[in-house]
């Protein structure tokens, strides 16, 4: 096997014996090995973005064609688009979280994989562009079609009408101005952190300044705290509040679990595709895939643990405004999707990823990461779609869902490929690069 | 294939030979010596070090361990038993209404099913590790060697056993010498 990278010094610190013991870290990397395939920045990403806009057209057309008396079609289309938009946001969020965790723990092994995460984390402006139409439609067209609490008549008593007591109690949090301020704050924090992680790393490619790594670690320290709070509250605001009576204290973790799992799956997918194209040979090795596979396995279990715990406690305590969320999802055909998620989001990838052979096989990793990403779409669909509107809870007008869910994902994928093609595929001068190249599992 | 009759080697004093041991001073020499003993085709030998040397199992050419399979089989059996136990107790043998939930609801079974799966796996791993390593044992021929005791301090030792088909007292000694082994000694049974 030819190695694109050769290195004179090993970052060995453990008992494992090795002959290399000189101290200069001169690492020679074949430039062709860290350059994205030509199509990624060109035809392929253009095609994806074109298809994404086609999805947008389908969604908008579908929304108005099926409009109905109370904007049912528009609400439906907005709900579908929200599923896709949340998919993009959770991918970028998970990637941002992982990047900062790697920096915070001074992780050496993951350096050659980190650039792909930084690319995803830098795409929050794209996420904002994808997500903004949902808010605009909600505010100016359907006026509370998805986020019912936006209706003023639910909290302000009119003569002869009843107010929704629960929403009156929640009004200090769930009101339009504060909702918008929070959304702006989340995106502000994410765009700043994502850009900073990306820029520091890209700058280091040319300058090789080790101080940039220290800066990234410093930012990660407070960044992780800000990340945790904004992720949880974004989950409350944009996903949980589609049923404003419902509340779950585990929702933030649930939202985070899906984010970090899908971001890891996306990372594995990109790295596998690059490896299959003959890139990153000797830079991202079977050993890295073995560890990324372990992360996928553990995040799969984490997601299952969190989502079962959420369901379990609500099932046991039997509080009406909590159980109604699940009761709705155990009827009207949604129970089938719930079953698919139990098996497909947990059992199948869990059993598949138990084996060492699958974690080290590129084909198996492509299959399982695509599978997990699909299941993550299913998970978001399960959260948002049953809330869309009461008259039609089933899967009629499935083509609006298809356009609405796939549109944002394809736009995001196109933007991601462009980003990946715009620079080297690994952080070329990271001080821990040697450690990443020498990474082995020893088991 | 005709089984080769096992040759029994004896020292001058008549003691049965257990094997030949050699000392190495650094993990690097030790690691490379293990690779060479593996490549020379020896199968019945072992290595001893004061701390775990990463990658030594690969350098020794040890086969894929069977312990994970044992752990998985027993772990899933434990989880299944855990579910069945609760189902039988609360839905069949002594049905009890708790909070108006149905007798055979699967939800409350999950934590204990999970715990018993973990418990059985832990036992399978612990007991299996002892069984595969043939532990506990009261004595090992190497324990008689004064120099072997330094393996718990600062020496790395490889011992090729006499039961190895390729074992030959002088040939094996020469090989260990050529790999940089020092203080090569015959170990009596």
């Amino acid at each position: 096997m030819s190695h694109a990278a050769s290195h004179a010094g090993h970052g060995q610190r453990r008992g494992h014996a090795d002959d290399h013991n000189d101290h200069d870290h001169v690492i020679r990397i074949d430039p062709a090995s860290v350059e994205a395939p030509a199509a990624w920045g060109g035809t392929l990403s253009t095609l994806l973005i074109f298809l994404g806009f086609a999805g947008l057209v389908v969604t908008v057309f579908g929304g108005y064609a099926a409009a109905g008396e109370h904007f049912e079609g528009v609400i439906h289309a907005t709900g579908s688009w929200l599923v896709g938009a949340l998919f993009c946001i959770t991918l970028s969020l998970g990637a941002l979280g992982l990047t900062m965790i790697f920096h915070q723990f001074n992780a050496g092994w993951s350096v050659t994989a980190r650039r792909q995460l930084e690319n995803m984390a830098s795409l929050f402006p794209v996420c904002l562009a994808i997500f903004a139409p949902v808010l605009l439609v909600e505010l100016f067209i359907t006026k509370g079609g998805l986020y019912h609490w936006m209706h003023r008549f639910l909290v302000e008593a009119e003569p002869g009408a009843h107010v929704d007591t629960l929403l009156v109690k929640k009004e200090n949090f769930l009101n339009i101005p504060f909702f918008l301020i929070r959304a702006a704050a989340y995106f502000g924090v994410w765009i700043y952190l994502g850009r900073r992680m990306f820029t520091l790393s890209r700058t280091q490619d040319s300058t090789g300044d080790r101080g940039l790594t220290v800066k990234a670690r410093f930012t990660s320290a407070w960044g992780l705290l800000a990340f945790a709070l904004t992720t949880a509250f974004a989950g409350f605001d944009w996903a949980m509040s589609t049923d404003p009576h419902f509340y779950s204290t585990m929702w933030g973790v649930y939202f985070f679990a899906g984010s970090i799992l899908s971001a890891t799956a996306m990372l594995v997918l990109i790295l596998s595709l690059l490896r299959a194209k003959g890139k990153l040979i000797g830079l991202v090795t079977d050993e890295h895939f073995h560890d990324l596979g372990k992360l996928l396995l553990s995040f799969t279990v984490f997601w299952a643990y969190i989502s079962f715990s959420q369901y379990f406690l609500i099932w046991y305590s039997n509080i009406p405004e909590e159980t109604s969320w699940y009761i709705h999802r155990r009827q009207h055909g949604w129970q089938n999707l719930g079953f698919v998620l139990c098996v497909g989001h947990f059992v199948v990838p869990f059993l598949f990823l138990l084996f060492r052979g699958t974690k080290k096989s590129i084909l198996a990793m492509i299959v399982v990461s695509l599978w997990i990403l699909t299941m993550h779409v299913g998970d978001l669909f399960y959260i948002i779609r049953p809330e869309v509107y009461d008259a039609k809870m089933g899967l009629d007008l499935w083509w609006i869902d298809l356009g609405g869910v796939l549109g944002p994902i394809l736009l995001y994928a196109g933007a991601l490929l462009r980003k990946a093609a715009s620079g080297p595929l690994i952080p070329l001068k990271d001080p821990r690069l040697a450690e990443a190249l020498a990474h082995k599992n020893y088991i | 294939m005709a089984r080769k009759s096992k040759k029994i080697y004896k020292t001058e004093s008549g003691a049965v030979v257990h094997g030949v041991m050699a000392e190495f001073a650094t993990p690097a020499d030790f690691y490379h010596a293990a690779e060479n003993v593996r490549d020379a085709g020896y199968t019945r030998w072992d290595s001893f070090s004061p701390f775990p040397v990463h990658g030594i199992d690969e350098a020794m050419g040890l086969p894929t361990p069977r312990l994970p399979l044992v752990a998985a089989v027993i772990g899933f059996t434990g989880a299944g038993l855990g579910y069945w136990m609760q189902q039988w107790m609360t839905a069949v043998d002594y049905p009890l209404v708790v909070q108006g939930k149905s007798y055979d609801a699967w939800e409350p079974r999950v934590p204990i099913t999970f715990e018993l799966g973990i418990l059985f796996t832990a036992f399978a791993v612990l007991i299996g590790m002892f069984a595969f390593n043939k532990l506990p044992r009261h004595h090992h021929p190497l324990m008689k060697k004064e120099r072997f005791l330094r393996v718990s301090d600062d020496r790395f030792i490889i011992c090729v056993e006499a039961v190895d088909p390729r074992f030959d007292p002088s040939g094996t000694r020469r090989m260990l010498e050529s790999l940089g082994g020092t203080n090569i000694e015959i170990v009596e049974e």
Side-chain angles (χ1 to χ4, degrees), chain B residues 115-181:
Chain B
E115 297 295 348
L116 280 179
I118 299 296
L119 183 71
F120 273 64
T121 313
F123 277 129
V125 170
L126 184 70
I127 297 171
M129 184 273 287
F130 273 92
F132 283 129
N133 284 324
K134 300 190 179 68
L135 290 172
R137 59 188 293 170
H138 299 298
H139 180 66
H140 192 280
L142 279 165
M143 293 296 182
K144 278 190 290 200
K145 287 289 178 190
E146 192 71 23
R147 297 202 71 88
F148 180 73
L149 302 181
R150 283 189 73 177
V151 85
S152 66
D153 181 14
D154 63 347
R155 282 294 181 275
F156 302 83
I157 285 177
I158 285 176
C159 177
V160 182
E161 291 170 19
V163 290
D164 193 293
R166 288 175 181 270
F167 183 82
D168 153 40
S170 53
T172 304
R173 170 186 279 270
R174 272 200 305 280
M175 178 200 65
L176 289 171
E177 248 164 12
S178 73
L179 297 177

Side-chain angles (χ1 to χ4, degrees), chain A residues 14-19 287 301 305 308 311-312 314-318 330 342 350-351 354 356 440-443, chain B residues 27-29 31-32 51-55 57-58 65 72 76 98-99 101-102 105-111 114:
Chain A
R14 305 197 186 88
H16 169 47
D18 213 289
D19 290 337
E287 300 293 329
V301 176
Y305 175 75
F308 174 73
Y311 169 72
F312 185 45
I314 289 173
W315 178 84
Y316 243 136
S317 61
N318 231 350
R330 288 178 72 160
C342 287
F350 173 73
L351 293 178
L354 272 184
R356 192 182 300 185
K440 258 176 88 62
N441 276 293
Y442 298 121
I443 53 156
Chain B
D29 294 343
Y31 184 89
H32 292 307
F51 50 80
V53 174
H54 287 300
D57 45 352
E58 204 180 303
F76 283 117
V98 180
Q99 287 197 340
K101 312 290 191 201
S102 74
W106 61 273
E107 288 91 345
R109 314 257 191 278
V110 172
F114 173 72

Side-chain angles (χ1 to χ4, degrees), chain A residues 103-395:
Chain A
H103 277 303
Q104 194 61 84
F105 282 86
N106 216 356
W109 71 273
S110 58
V111 166
T112 45
R114 209 185 60 224
R115 175 55 51 82
Q116 303 310 319
L117 290 172
E118 290 161 355
N119 289 341
M120 277 190 258
S122 71
L123 286 184
F124 279 113
V126 176
C127 295
L128 177 59
I130 291 172
F131 179 66
V134 175
L135 288 187
L136 294 177
V137 170
E138 275 300 288
L139 288 174
F140 298 112
I141 300 175
T142 55
K143 298 191 170 118
L146 278 177
Y147 302 114
H148 308 294
W149 51 264
M150 286 181 178
H151 292 302
R152 291 307 300 166
F153 64 81
L154 291 173
V155 288
E156 278 171 2
E158 289 169 22
H162 290 288
V163 292
D164 187 326
T165 315
L166 285 171
L167 291 189
V168 172
K169 301 253 184 208
K170 292 182 180 188
E171 203 197 346
N172 285 334
F173 187 78
L174 288 180
N175 61 69
I176 292 174
F178 192 28
F179 180 78
L180 292 178
I181 291 170
R182 288 198 304 271
Y186 306 150
F187 271 107
V189 168
W190 298 339
I191 289 172
Y192 173 77
L193 287 174
R195 260 189 75 87
R196 182 148 175 88
M197 290 300 144
F198 179 81
T199 316
L200 286 175
S201 186
R202 274 283 182 92
T203 312
Q204 199 175 45
D205 282 350
S206 47
T207 64
D209 179 6
R210 284 159 171 254
L212 298 177
T213 299
V214 180
K215 279 186 183 168
R217 197 188 315 159
F218 181 84
T219 307
S220 304
W222 67 264
L224 274 170
L225 183 65
F227 165 80
L229 290 173
T230 48
T231 304
F233 276 87
F236 299 149
D237 277 8
W238 302 338
M240 199 171 89
S241 86
T242 50
D243 180 350
H245 286 183
F246 172 69
Y247 59 90
S248 160
T249 46
M250 280 189 107
W251 193 269
V253 193
Y254 176 50
F255 194 67
F256 166 75
S259 304
I260 200 137
L261 171 64
S262 56
T264 313
M266 193 58 157
L267 170 66
V268 168
L269 179 63
I270 294 173
L271 292 176
S272 310
L273 292 175
L274 286 170
R275 277 280 302 271
K277 286 263 176 199
K279 305 290 177 183
L280 300 175
I281 305 294
L283 299 169
V284 177
T285 64
D286 287 355
E287 300 293 329
H288 295 95
F289 273 92
H290 190 185
D291 275 343
L292 290 168
K294 288 182 217 164
L295 277 183
L296 264 188
L297 176 64
S298 53
F299 289 142
T300 299
V301 176
F302 180 60
W303 177 88
Y305 175 75
I306 295 300
S307 44
F308 174 73
S309 302
Q310 174 170 276
Y311 169 72
F312 185 45
L313 296 191
I314 289 173
W315 178 84
Y316 243 136
S317 61
N318 231 350
I319 296 170
E321 60 265 29
E322 289 182 354
T323 45
S324 67
W325 197 86
Y326 279 109
I327 287 171
H328 184 44
R329 282 160 182 75
R330 288 178 72 160
Q331 299 167 10
H332 315 293
W334 296 117
Q335 71 273 27
N336 298 324
L337 180 56
F339 180 77
V340 166
L341 288 179
C342 287
V343 176
H345 208 314
F346 171 58
V347 179
V348 171
F350 173 73
L351 293 178
F352 191 78
L353 284 166
L354 272 184
F355 299 94
R356 192 182 300 185
T358 50
K359 289 181 217 137
K360 291 187 171 185
S361 150
I362 291 187
L363 180 63
M365 287 303 259
I366 291 180
V367 171
V368 76
S369 53
L370 275 173
W371 176 272
I372 288 175
L373 289 171
T374 312
M375 284 300 143
H376 181 56
V377 174
D379 188 27
L380 293 169
F381 199 78
Y382 183 76
I383 293 169
I384 302 294
R385 188 59 178 73
E387 302 297 340
V388 162
Y389 59 100
D390 294 338
K392 285 208 173 77
M393 285 180 287
L395 287 174

